[in-house]
Amino acid sequence: MHVGKSTSLYLPQLFFLFLFICNFLLLSLVYAQTDDPLLNSEDSSVAIPDSELVVVAPVTSLIAEDYKYDDGKQINLSWVPSIDDQLVGSKVLGYRLFRIIDDGKPELLAKLRCGANSYSDGKLKSESVYSYYLEAFSKNFIATSTRTVPISPEREWINFDRKYLFLLAFIIGGAVIFFIESARRGKKLFVRKIAGLEAVDEAIGRATEMGRPILFIPGILDMNDVQTLAGITILGRVSQQIANYDTKIRMPVSRSLVMTAARETIKAAYQTAGRPDQYSDDMVNYVTDEQFGYVAAVDGIMVREKPATVFLMGAFFAESLILAETGNSVGAIQIAGTARPAQLPFFIAACDFTLIGEELFAASAYLSGEPKQLGSLKGQDVGKGIAMAAILIGVLAETIGTAWNVEFMNDVVRWLTILFTTQ
Amino acid sequence: MTMVDIGRLISLIFIGGGLLWLFISGLKGKEVDRRIIFLFIFLSVATPILFPITFGEKATPVVKAVFDKVESLPEGSRVLISFDFDPAMAPEVQPMANAITRHSLTKGHKVIFMSLFATGQALLTQSLRKVVGEEFPELEECKDYVNVGFKAGNEGVLNVIVTDFKKMFPTDVNNVPYDSIEVFDGIKSCKDIDLIVSIGGGMPGVKEWVLFVGDPGNVPVAAGVAAVVAPQMYPYYPEQILGILGGVKGAAEYESELIKNYPHFAEMDTPALRMMGPQTLAHMVIMIFIVIGNVLFFVSRRKRRGK
Amino acid sequence: MKKAPIIIMALVTALFVLSWIFKAISFQGTEEHFILSGFKYTLAAFLTLAIFSFLYRDNPFYKFAEHLFVGVSAAFWMTMGFWSTIVGNLIPRVSEDLSHFFEVPYEPASRNLFYFIPVFLGILLLMRLSSKYGWLSRWPLAFIVGTTAGFNFVRYLRSDFINQISATFIPLLVDWHGIGHFFSNLSLSSVGQLVTILSNLVLFLGVFCGLIYFFFSKEHKGAFGAASRVGIWILMITFGASFGYTVMGRISLLVGRLTFLFKDWLELIS
Amino acid sequence: MKREIPLLITFIVGVVLIVSVFVPPTETLGEDFSVFFDIIAVFAFFLGGGNLVQSHFSKARKRQTDWGYSIVTLVGFVAMLTIGLFKLGNPGGISAPPTAEGSLFQEIFDFVIMPLSATMYSLLAFFVASASYRAFRAKNREATILLVAAFIILLGRTPFGMLVTGWIPESFDILQIPNMAIWIMNSPNLAGQRAIMIGIGLGVVSMSLRIILGIERTYLGGDD
């Protein structure tokens, strides 16, 4: 069945077999040793005279290794379980792991179940030296393993476990920057129409004609959420239009920081439009951090002030539909956008236009119309191209690999999975 | 006819008649005010709360499989029911645990109760007091059922009891030693148990029971899980899990199957069926509204085209 | 004209008092502060009904509930922010005296100076109140925006991009034993081979076409346009399905509220 | 200057945080910065709370429409803030958690905030119905697909799905509506969710870069 190439895959198995045999020899030695009555009598707590002594072998090949790519905080331990630790009729009841710091007294670190063969000790200090040993215990016997060579966790400066993450970030980030640059130099770029954003002008115009305010809701999360950030950047573009048309904007927010940021943004827009005197801080109001308290207030504003246009741009949760339905009931044109997949259906159902996920983040670039901003959208498409290519190759290779057991294809899948797995 | 029946009848006639009237007035070209929809939703939820309405849930094959298994086991079989859930999950899955407990005890099976969740033990005690204590007062603890309670260790517990039950549970919760518990006669490990029912959906839960006990010990495992996790369990059905109760609906299906086979259960508490009343009626009303909306849409479009 | 609101107001007040009396009577004997308990349950029920009244239309009761909600909850979160972040997180790291004052354990550590950065930035933020130095408040904003952008850059790349791609490496032919075996076992069983294969195929094509829909820099025409159309359909199924699936949970919420009214307040059902 | 320094701060902080992911000694920087964020956000409360008080106060003073309700907000706000900050009516005194069992603060939460919040949330049951009545109409192909998918799932969640299609034999049971509903959730629904998520990942990467590089700077205000 196997092609010549795959013989290399036997190597680990052979190595494992070798290890196993070595261990077995070692174990039998230790086993013989624990039969020694002297050794047993040494530990008085172990010997229980009235019942039969259940002697067990200790664990072997206990190795302590520095976890390579960290700040010098973690040591990984691995061992081969005691041969008396078996799935059926195990004599070993469990293990106790001890740690010695800087030649101090041994301290119990953890109790482990049968079958355990590894442990990660975190939150260590790179200045200290650590050594470990394990006890395997039966109901009346304790077998102690050899101590590990003392080591200290080391601080690494670069995490090579994340090299593929870096590679992908580099390629996609690089593509975005490349297309921004090339657009800046005057290369023409095509960007398809996004219906929701095409409608922005019209929606603002409508509010102007009707003499009613525009309501802008930036979601209910704070500035540390990237969707709120997207909402604020869109606000930047929208408020420029609003300033040009001299329409009224109303923006209740549920976070104080968002209030501050939104005020700066709108103020800047009015300055750019040459109407700084028209701006007032009253355009943006803080309501409350409480999710449904905010919703109650916004619903109230909607039915009382009857905005002509409502923008819902940012992170929304359950309130999405309450807001969108109330907005709909007062006859507002609603343009919504969120990157929360669970809330998108409600916006689709109740709003006139919805920006789906990626479109929300692309919106401010699209609305700006500046070539360099549009260039970044082209960069995103490179990322999509990579995703599609990877999925296509991955699916085909997986299909051929599993259906006809083609080893090369399985290797392709393995390699792709490593590339697209993050640490 | 009791007052409840009359109330139920009047409300249902009101809802049904109202919908019909809406449809007819819609055909005449009137728009439906959304407040009328609100009113119908309110009625369809409030009516079943005030006057309990239960719909004949017909068990889906996944649920029926569990019921049939309990039903087909000979009297005196050992059934293990594990309460693997915490109070947050309880409203959804505790009705399942109660229904299966009732069914097993009625069939004369000997039931072993346990929990892999620390907070599950209190819920287990609650169920025992309510179901066993009140509905099966003639049954004796240790002889007809046993409560071994919670043991820490997650799948480690399972790893042990698949080969040796006594090792993990030397006594029951009341410190009665294993060997003097009649239920455990002839039971050495989980392999001697005829059916394992894991109710939960978190970690550890159904998946661990399948991987650590069901598969290695070749013991049939049935599952009851919250609705959100149910889709993740389907890959195990029917090879590794013989049947699944998913969410309130799964519990309601089991309860209705129970009533179908043992009519006297209709008198007892059936929380899942009760919960399904408002759900079903409201879903129905929403679906009828969708249909009305579409019919009216097509009628008005035809009229417009006709002009 | 003006009579109707006054009558309604009086009626609601009377009902409130009546409910208070009845609830107090029903709590008598079981609770120590039965008059207070009666008030609490009546208040909760009144506020519940006030919110529900919004479904009919905006009205003074809703306005009252809404304004009360805003004031009380804003203060609630500010208080929580003060106790948990300032007293719980900041003070133990910057001041021993204040730690003693608030009875929180002081945590001396070398990195504590670090925590003066946010305090400094927070004070700069308050410069917003001054008309002369208001521009300084942009520094903390710039810091926050930079943090959000930098932090989420890698986070989203990982969880939403990379992990979703590797999760889609699925075989199109599941449990494949040749074409003959496939046809001889052909069935539409939900756990059968055909359905499983179909599932994976739909998953693969769905992700693929969905991504094509999101392409910005290529016109959606021809084969590309057709694929993008399929992408929209998949998205529509997604939205329809998620919508339908959520309905049940939403109704449970209403069941919860009505149960409170019928059971805890009116005691109509047991 | 007023604009350059903030841009520089954004650039440095953003780049440092991206790089920190690959450099173990700075790996926890992201977490540290979120603590910073929380602290700055509490300072911002002064601005937010101040704005709340000021706007309602001026509304009440100017006797604008509905000014009486502004007084309700003000009274509620001041009362709750006083109770919370001075831990009035808290059996444990100043060192007890503000939400201690039986404290006045917690009581107000339980009997005012909780019912209001839960009721507001439960309005969704009504809005879900009115939205589906309006939106689920077979106006065009896309809307029809939306409608059909939603309808199958709705049917699958009620006894009627089984009632109507329960007779279909097991070898064709994908055609039973409850099974079809599960299939839709697991297959096309999952595909759509994934496509959306991959797009979101790219959107965030690109927007973050625009912000860090200072191409997107609307949030920083003008040059005054």
Side-chain angles (χ1 to χ4, degrees), chain A residues 254-275:
Chain A
S254 80
R255 306 283 167 160
S256 306
L257 268 176
V258 179
M259 178 187 85
T260 316
R263 282 181 175 173
E264 288 290 341
T265 309
I266 298 179
K267 199 171 169 186
Y270 272 80
Q271 271 162 0
T272 316
R275 295 180 171 173

Side-chain angles (χ1 to χ4, degrees), chain B residues 35 38 41-42 45-46 49-50 227 237 276 278-279 282-283 286, chain C residues 55-57 191 245 247-248 251-252 254-255 258-259 262 268-269:
Chain B
R35 280 177 288 196
F38 295 162
I41 290 294
F42 173 80
V45 175
I49 297 178
L50 289 173
Y237 168 80
M276 277 310 280
Q279 295 281 7
H283 273 76
I286 290 175
Chain C
L55 290 171
Y56 179 66
R57 66 161 186 227
V191 289
Y245 198 79
V247 172
M248 192 164 252
I251 287 166
S252 300
L254 184 58
V255 172
L258 292 187
T259 312
F262 294 153
L268 285 176
I269 48 173

Side-chain angles (χ1 to χ4, degrees), chain A residues 73-110:
Chain A
K73 284 190 177 133
Q74 190 177 332
I75 289 178
N76 287 345
L77 297 161
S78 65
W79 60 88
V80 176
S82 161
I83 48 164
D84 296 309
D85 173 0
Q86 276 149 1
L87 204 64
V88 184
S90 176
K91 287 188 204 164
V92 174
L93 298 180
Y95 302 102
R96 279 188 286 263
L97 177 62
F98 290 86
R99 176 173 68 186
I100 300 147
I101 306 174
D102 298 333
D103 301 320
K105 278 179 94 178
E107 48 174 317
L108 180 63
L109 188 62

Side-chain angles (χ1 to χ4, degrees), chain C residues 40 103 111 188-190 199, chain D residues 32 95 107 171 173 183 187:
Chain C
K40 285 193 292 196
E103 300 180 24
R111 280 171 98 184
L188 278 174
S189 156
S190 54
S199 295
Chain D
D32 289 338
S95 60
E107 289 280 287
S171 53
D173 67 357
W183 184 82
S187 202

Side-chain angles (χ1 to χ4, degrees), chain A residues 1-9:
Chain A
M1 271 308 281
H2 290 285
V3 255
K5 183 181 170 298
S6 62
T7 45
S8 62
L9 288 173

Side-chain angles (χ1 to χ4, degrees), chain A residues 12 202 206 210-211 277 287 351 379 406:
Chain A
E202 187 202 323
R206 179 173 182 260
M210 297 170 80
D277 48 315
V287 181
C351 295
V406 180

